[in-house]
Amino acid sequence: MQRASQRRLALAACSLMAMTVAGTAHAQSAAEITPVTPVEQDAPANDIVVVGSQIKGARINEALPVTVVTTEEIRSTAAVSGDELFRSIPQFGDVRFNSQYIPGSSNSARGDVGSLDLRSLGVGNTLVLLNGRRVVNHPTSQANDQLVPVLSFNSNALPVNGLERLEVLRDGAAAIYGADAVAGVVNTVLKNNYKGGELSLQYGGGEGTGYREFNANGVVGTDFAQGRGNVTLFGSYDRGTGLLSTEQDFTASSDKTPLFADTYFAGATSLDGRSVTNQYANLRTVGNVVVRQNGTALTNASGQFHLQPTTNAGCNAAIGNAVCIQSGTQATSGVDRNLRYDAGAAGTSVIPRLDRVNLFLTGNYELSEDITAYTELGFYKAKTRAVQSPASTTTASPLVVPATSYWNPFGPATLNGAANPNRLPGLSSSAAGTALTVPNYLFADLGLRKVEVTNQQFRTLLGLRGTLGSFDWDSAASYSEAWVRDVSDNVSRTKLYQSMLQTNAAAYNIFGTTQNSAATIDGIRQDLVRYTKSSLATFDFRLSNAHLLELPGGSLGFAGGIEARRETQLDNRDARIDGTITFTDPVTGAVLSDFVDSAINPDTSGSRNVAGTYAEFAVPVISPDMHVPLIRSLDFQIAGRYEHYSDFGDVTVPKVAGAWDLVKGIRLRGSWAKSFRAPNLEQINATVVTRSNSRTDYVYCEADLRAGRIASFNNCARAQTTQARRSGNPDLDPEKATTTSVGLVLEPPLPSEWGAITVTADYWRVRQTGLVGLYGEGNALILDYLLRQSGGINPNVIRAAPTAADVDAFAGTGLAPAGQVLYVLDQYVNLQPQKVRGLDLNLTYRTPDTSIGRFNLAVNASHFFEFYQEPSPGIQELLDARAAGQINNGTVISNGGSLLEQNRKPKWRGSATLTWSLGDVTVSGFAQYTGKVFDTALTYPDGSYWEITPTTTANLYAQYRFSSGALEGSSIRLGVRNLFDTKPPLSSDGYPGVLYAPVARYWYVNVRHSF
């Protein structure tokens, strides 16, 4: 108890001391934004343009809610990836694309990936710029909350250690920057015009694990042509050893039941995430033939049987190697639960091994006094290696074991001219043998599946900028490209069937009566390769004049321009998935994908051309020298944009923002804007998108509950891998949004010896309409459950005919037997509106240099008031049925109602940092808080959910800079992340990976040298 109290006190102290790395929502003008370094470097206003306005040096910049993260603030996090950096900024939501997400198939983005989700409004609603211009999206999609494929810029492609600063506009800005700026804009500004060089080496690792990281980065720059030009080159290399599931208790098993031992959910079988598909096959005779041995039934009335170790009760016939046959399917929710496959205990990857290279070059050359040419060249490449669960079959497309297969225990009486050594004696089945289907089998003898993902991205840009009279102009053309090659080992149906057709011991043995040889295993193994590619070509011409006209209140600023871009996306599936190479089921004649765990999924490709024009005005209405009472100054931003899309038409959006200074140091600000987001190319062009997720078949839960086999839905073990066959929709409309915000900025004019303080508070509201989404296969199963209670069915849920086991499961429940789910049909549509409201709070305080040093404090917090998605009529029907008691409270209905504090949307997030520097010594502490959320997968009897507790983590570092002697220009930093070794809070998955990183206390050392 005493130790826990000390830790809480220390953590509270660190939280109070801390200053936010995610920084400060600066209310200052661009000229006041400077890196926080021991030596202040002033910069002219016209040299820095802050995201939010295209007007260089305009006064309206002071009104914009912009968070600026400086180089030193970035270093305070010890982040070496964009994922780590954006997790530290409270205004960013969950990280849906992340390297911890390593699914069992290549259907989702995996590898070295990270996403951005400002305001939690959804991936794809935040526009990312690099040096003021948009960047190419990561080419591999992933499903969002609405289960549709979304695309994001890969934040891990950012050269984190090469950033001069990071700017986050927390306001809708489609009128200025175009589509994707619904939630706001992130502008990453790279180091340029560098003179000299710098080299940094960092090494760190997590306590109690083998997780280690090494980073080396450097920047070098030089002027040439008597100072008329400059070339700056940045390079970075990262290497990570990866993290395995067995290294920490909350990931060491897929069965999370022991983690909840002292809670209400102790023993809840729904927490057992071990796979029901295992190395002991479930089988069925073709034609549902009942097979007996000497009068004893080895199958049920539907011809179903399964394999199990002889140590399990109920064996009907031993077949060798301590394996036996039992009638019916495995009871993995009961007596056969021990057969479930535990991927966590097998040592799968939580974080993959990583090698990453990032290179970026900037250059500029003054062609004349009025014209400067500039260029950017960027290259990123990363390779990750991970291990995941072995390949397994799917119920929707079972395997076939030929009647004549050498190891088939129901095989022919005579094989190769002699008595079949593997046919069981005394069988009632045909002497010619009986073919079998295998709906559930895990290829455990192939070992853990190896997943190797290579990401590559490059960017080229060439531009000219200059002045023409009183106008600044800028024009550039760029081309960016990103591609991903995802390779994992799998099993070919064709090779497997050919192997099982063999009539000798070299045939693949699915029955476990002997060990398959390495040659047999290699003979069925096949690499699955998915290649995705995206490209972005842009051209723009921009004009800006901060002093277009002189008005009574000051100079009228103007910016305008034209822009054009071409986007492409390609999803090139493996030939054994896209329909090029198929397998024809010899029993049913169905044409299937050649991989055992995949359905046919055609390639997808698309392109679009976008042309647009915009205009922006900075309108000063009242200036301080007009001496208007209670209006020291009043300024407005008025902007509008028109864009034409080649694939769905025209869009026009406006924006109005204003700033009202009552007196010096007190400012009110606000904005109103319309935004839009075009459906991405995959949402429009995909023909069939097949996805498999773990879903609960609730009608079976209801049958189990009525039959007394379970006490509540929390103990329902009817989760299974459910295949959804989704399709794109060329008639989708763009998602639209209206954003409003009002804010207060306080900058009291303190005496210089007191330092400087800024406090900001911004209330914001976003209403989105036409969100692209799906009804969802989980909801479809709930609707099927609802309709079956009154004798109906959901026609979009495609089921197999009920087997004898299925009939038994429903006997005496009053429900008609339901067969196993084969797949669910769905299509992308525009859904109902969504409304989100919140508040941003920021505090910064900087002291002057004193005899005891200098202190910088910053606190940054984000709070949600509301996050409500209006249910579509179909979802509302389910919600009403649950409220009326027609379906159980334990059902999880998605895509409707209040989403606040559910799963990944906490009300509060905050971060704080305090840095103290004295001479050559710097000490900095960083704390981050994430509020509670509720896990909808765990339901109490009253309908409430398990609380994922609020969590605070802290970082600390100390640095010494050598200012003289042989080591002059060098510095050494010792630091620790997750200072108190705080574990991620407990959830039904062990921990919520979209909110927290699974890394223990992490020590690191950094050595830096400037020359």
Side-chain angles (χ1 to χ4, degrees):
M1 288 293 293
Q2 183 179 5
R3 183 180 179 187
S5 299
Q6 290 172 345
R7 286 182 57 176
R8 285 194 295 268
L9 287 171
L11 186 56
C14 187
S15 299
L16 289 171
M17 289 175 59
M19 86 175 166
T20 182
V21 74
T24 338
H26 285 273
Q28 300 109 314
S29 68
E32 295 170 315
I33 299 173
T34 55
V36 182
T37 56
V39 179
E40 291 296 327
Q41 300 176 351
D42 295 325
N46 288 341
D47 287 348
I48 300 177
V49 178
V50 180
V51 67
S53 174
Q54 299 278 26
I55 305 172
K56 188 184 298 184
R59 206 166 75 192
I60 192 63
N61 286 344
E62 304 175 14
L64 302 173
V66 177
T67 297
V68 178
V69 188
T70 65
T71 301
E72 280 303 308
E73 291 171 335
I74 292 172
R75 290 175 181 172
S76 294
T77 66
V80 295
S81 70
D83 184 347
E84 294 169 342
L85 176 59
F86 285 102
R87 284 179 187 265
S88 70
I89 303 177
Q91 282 74 26
F92 284 89
D94 59 281
V95 184
R96 183 172 291 274
F97 291 53
N98 62 75
S99 59
Q100 303 165 45
Y101 183 65
I102 315 173
S105 75
S106 61
N107 284 334
S108 297
R110 56 186 182 180
D112 185 42
V113 292
S115 59
L116 296 88
D117 188 1
L118 186 60
R119 306 280 195 217
S120 293
L121 293 179
V123 172
N125 285 293
T126 304
L127 177 62
V128 182
L129 307 175
L130 181 63
N131 291 337
R133 288 182 168 86
R134 65 173 55 231
V135 293
V136 66
N137 275 328
H138 184 71
T140 309
S141 65
Q142 192 158 305
N144 65 2
D145 285 341
Q146 284 75 41
L147 300 178
V148 298
V150 292
L151 298 168
S152 171
F153 172 71
N154 181 8
S155 63
N156 283 350
L158 286 175
V160 170
N161 292 293
L163 296 180
E164 181 66 29
R165 66 184 185 274
L166 177 71
E167 303 168 352
V168 182
L169 174 66
R170 310 185 315 274
D171 199 9
I176 298 173
Y177 294 103
D180 311 328
V182 176
V185 181
V186 173
N187 184 32
T188 53
V189 182
L190 296 179
K191 296 174 181 177
N192 59 15
N193 283 321
Y194 199 88
K195 292 182 282 292
E198 182 178 273
L199 176 65
S200 171
L201 302 176
Q202 181 168 306
Y203 180 78
E207 278 188 17
T209 69
Y211 183 53
R212 300 292 183 267
E213 290 181 308
F214 171 74
N215 169 264
N217 69 83
V219 60
V220 61
T222 184
D223 288 344
F224 62 91
Q226 292 78 47
R228 295 177 61 186
N230 178 274
V231 174
T232 300
L233 174 65
F234 168 82
S236 178
Y237 171 72
D238 298 285
R239 183 176 181 83
T241 59
L243 183 67
L244 296 178
S245 57
T246 50
E247 297 187 66
Q248 297 181 101
D249 60 355
F250 53 90
T251 58
S253 172
S254 300
D255 182 4
K256 308 304 179 184
T257 307
L259 302 176
F260 289 80
D262 298 324
T263 73
Y264 170 83
F265 297 99
T269 54
S270 61
L271 289 166
D272 188 353
R274 294 177 299 170
S275 174
V276 299
T277 301
N278 54 69
Q279 65 268 37
Y280 295 97
N282 276 308
L283 305 102
R284 185 176 180 179
T285 59
V286 172
N288 300 340
V289 176
V290 177
V291 177
R292 293 180 173 84
Q293 182 184 39
N294 299 322
T296 300
L298 301 185
T299 71
N300 63 14
S302 299
Q304 292 173 300
F305 67 102
H306 68 272
L307 308 178
Q308 64 181 37
T310 54
T311 52
N312 275 35
C315 288
N316 297 123
I319 58 174
N321 197 28
V323 178
C324 69
I325 289 175
Q326 184 181 13
S327 172
T329 59
Q330 289 178 6
T332 52
S333 60
V335 294
D336 292 331
R337 181 173 290 275
N338 64 307
L339 301 185
R340 292 187 173 208
Y341 177 75
D342 193 339
T348 53
S349 296
V350 175
I351 297 176
R353 294 168 54 196
L354 167 70
D355 288 280
R356 179 196 298 135
V357 174
N358 228 318
L359 300 172
F360 212 92
L361 180 143
T362 62
N364 59 79
Y365 180 73
E366 294 180 3
L367 299 175
S368 68
E369 290 185 1
D370 297 326
I371 301 177
T372 298
Y374 61 95
T375 189
E376 297 174 7
L377 299 173
F379 175 80
Y380 153 85
K381 184 173 184 177
K383 179 173 286 189
T384 61
R385 299 170 181 84
V387 289
Q388 287 302 100
S389 298
S392 61
T393 62
T394 64
T395 306
S397 49
L399 303 176
V400 176
V401 179
T404 57
S405 183
Y406 181 76
W407 299 107
N408 186 347
F410 298 168
T414 302
L415 191 66
N416 301 324
N420 185 347
N422 296 307
R423 178 183 168 101
L424 291 174
L427 293 184
S428 63
S429 57
S430 167
T434 302
L436 309 171
T437 60
V438 187
N440 299 103
Y441 177 70
L442 181 85
F443 291 86
D445 54 356
L446 272 71
L448 292 175
R449 186 186 324 215
K450 299 176 182 64
V451 179
E452 184 173 283
V453 183
T454 303
N455 290 344
Q456 186 166 304
Q457 183 173 308
F458 72 85
R459 169 186 170 101
T460 61
L461 182 144
L462 182 63
L464 295 172
R465 60 173 174 253
T467 58
L468 182 62
S470 60
F471 283 87
D472 295 307
W473 61 270
D474 190 342
S475 182
S478 73
Y479 180 77
S480 304
E481 189 174 285
W483 60 261
V484 176
R485 189 172 187 267
D486 186 312
V487 182
S488 57
D489 51 312
N490 211 297
V491 175
S492 162
R493 287 181 184 274
T494 300
K495 292 181 178 181
L496 176 64
Y497 190 71
Q498 290 171 345
S499 178
M500 289 194 294
L501 274 174
Q502 297 185 70
T503 57
N504 56 45
Y508 184 81
N509 184 359
I510 208 169
F511 303 95
T513 52
T514 188
Q515 185 175 349
N516 288 299
S517 68
T520 297
I521 290 172
D522 289 342
I524 67 172
R525 196 190 303 269
Q526 179 70 45
D527 278 348
L528 188 161
V529 181
R530 182 184 184 187
Y531 177 80
T532 57
K533 177 181 175 182
S534 59
S535 69
L536 174 68
T538 71
F539 171 79
D540 60 65
F541 181 81
R542 306 171 178 177
L543 281 174
S544 173
N545 189 336
H547 306 282
L548 182 65
L549 294 173
E550 288 303 317
L551 302 177
S555 298
L556 174 69
F558 166 77
I562 57 173
E563 297 176 352
R565 68 180 186 273
R566 178 175 175 80
E567 304 169 353
T568 70
Q569 185 191 10
L570 169 67
D571 184 357
N572 186 4
R573 297 288 180 146
D574 193 289
R576 297 174 186 269
I577 288 180
D578 67 10
T580 304
I581 300 173
T582 59
F583 176 80
T584 301
D585 190 302
V587 174
T588 65
V591 178
L592 306 172
S593 156
D594 193 52
F595 286 116
V596 297
D597 62 354
S598 303
I600 292 177
N601 205 335
D603 298 339
T604 300
S605 63
S607 64
R608 66 161 52 115
N609 299 321
V610 185
T613 183
Y614 71 92
E616 176 193 355
F617 293 91
V619 185
V621 178
I622 297 174
S623 66
D625 56 14
M626 296 172 72
H627 304 293
V628 176
L630 292 181
I631 307 180
R632 185 173 186 269
S633 65
L634 182 63
D635 299 273
F636 289 98
Q637 178 191 54
I638 302 173
R641 170 178 287 263
Y642 163 80
E643 286 193 349
H644 173 74
Y645 284 72
S646 60
D647 51 356
F648 75 84
D650 304 332
V651 177
T652 303
V653 290
K655 179 178 181 178
V656 178
W660 169 20
D661 283 18
L662 283 75
V663 295
K664 186 176 182 180
I666 302 179
R667 175 180 302 133
L668 298 176
R669 63 187 180 191
S671 69
W672 173 88
K674 293 280 190 179
S675 301
F676 64 95
R677 189 183 76 85
N680 65 48
L681 293 172
E682 187 168 343
Q683 292 168 2
I684 292 175
N685 295 292
T687 52
V688 176
V689 179
T690 303
R691 295 291 184 266
S692 296
N693 293 288
S694 179
R695 302 293 185 220
T696 298
D697 195 348
Y698 287 107
V699 71
Y700 272 85
C701 297
E702 181 67 23
D704 289 341
L705 188 65
R706 293 186 183 188
R709 292 186 288 267
I710 60 174
S712 73
F713 268 33
N714 283 319
N715 293 315
C716 181
R718 296 293 186 171
Q720 62 184 17
T721 301
T722 302
Q723 188 181 100
R725 297 185 181 178
R726 305 164 184 167
S727 57
N729 186 347
D731 297 323
L732 285 173
D733 293 324
E735 299 176 354
K736 297 181 180 180
T738 301
T739 305
T740 54
S741 69
V742 292
L744 172 67
V745 182
L746 300 177
E747 293 181 290
L750 301 178
S752 59
E753 63 272 17
W754 290 14
I757 186 170
T758 300
V759 179
T760 69
D762 291 281
Y763 169 85
W764 54 271
R765 178 182 182 274
V766 179
R767 177 176 169 81
Q768 296 171 279
T769 59
L771 295 176
V772 177
L774 288 168
Y775 187 68
E777 63 269 20
N779 293 328
L781 291 174
I782 297 174
L783 178 60
D784 193 54
Y785 158 43
L786 172 64
L787 295 175
R788 282 179 177 273
Q789 293 185 81
S790 56
I793 63 168
N794 180 358
N796 289 321
V797 176
I798 311 302
R799 295 179 179 271
T803 64
D806 297 329
V807 172
D808 289 343
F810 284 85
T813 65
L815 297 170
Q820 298 297 308
V821 177
L822 298 177
Y823 56 89
V824 178
L825 299 174
D826 218 340
Q827 186 183 36
Y828 306 136
V829 294
N830 291 101
L831 297 178
Q832 300 293 88
Q834 175 173 280
K835 184 169 68 174
V836 187
R837 297 185 297 118
L839 178 69
D840 291 333
L841 299 170
N842 292 271
L843 164 68
T844 64
Y845 177 63
R846 178 182 300 180
T847 71
D849 288 319
T850 69
S851 59
I852 60 171
R854 181 174 182 174
F855 296 85
N856 293 331
L857 170 68
V859 179
N860 187 10
S862 172
H863 176 68
F864 283 122
F865 291 112
E866 181 181 18
F867 207 117
Y868 184 83
Q869 182 178 331
E870 187 174 322
S872 63
I875 300 300
Q876 188 62 56
E877 178 186 5
L878 298 182
L879 293 170
D880 292 343
R882 188 167 65 182
Q886 295 173 309
I887 57 178
N888 194 282
N889 274 337
T891 53
V892 179
I893 302 170
S894 59
N895 298 341
S898 176
L899 305 178
L900 187 58
E901 292 192 310
Q902 287 194 13
N903 299 314
R904 59 176 65 92
K905 292 181 173 63
K907 281 186 180 179
W908 281 103
R909 291 174 184 260
S911 65
T913 310
L914 177 66
T915 299
W916 168 76
S917 57
L918 178 63
D920 295 328
V921 177
T922 301
V923 178
S924 180
F926 169 73
Q928 184 170 2
Y929 171 84
T930 302
K932 67 182 179 183
V933 292
F934 294 96
D935 189 340
T936 58
L938 294 172
T939 310
Y940 291 97
D942 63 359
S944 61
Y945 303 118
W946 168 263
E947 179 182 314
I948 300 175
T949 56
T951 302
T952 302
T953 58
N955 300 349
L956 185 67
Y957 78 79
Q959 175 180 291
Y960 183 78
R961 182 169 58 93
F962 297 89
S963 56
S964 61
L967 295 177
E968 182 179 359
S970 300
S971 66
I972 184 168
R973 175 178 298 190
L974 299 175
V976 56
R977 296 189 339 220
N978 192 7
L979 175 64
F980 301 108
D981 197 20
T982 304
K983 291 183 179 180
L986 183 62
S987 75
S988 57
D989 293 325
Y991 77 102
V994 293
L995 293 176
Y996 298 94
V999 180
R1001 180 162 41 218
Y1002 179 101
W1003 296 91
Y1004 67 93
V1005 59
N1006 180 284
V1007 178
R1008 189 179 302 271
H1009 179 70
S1010 299
F1011 52 90

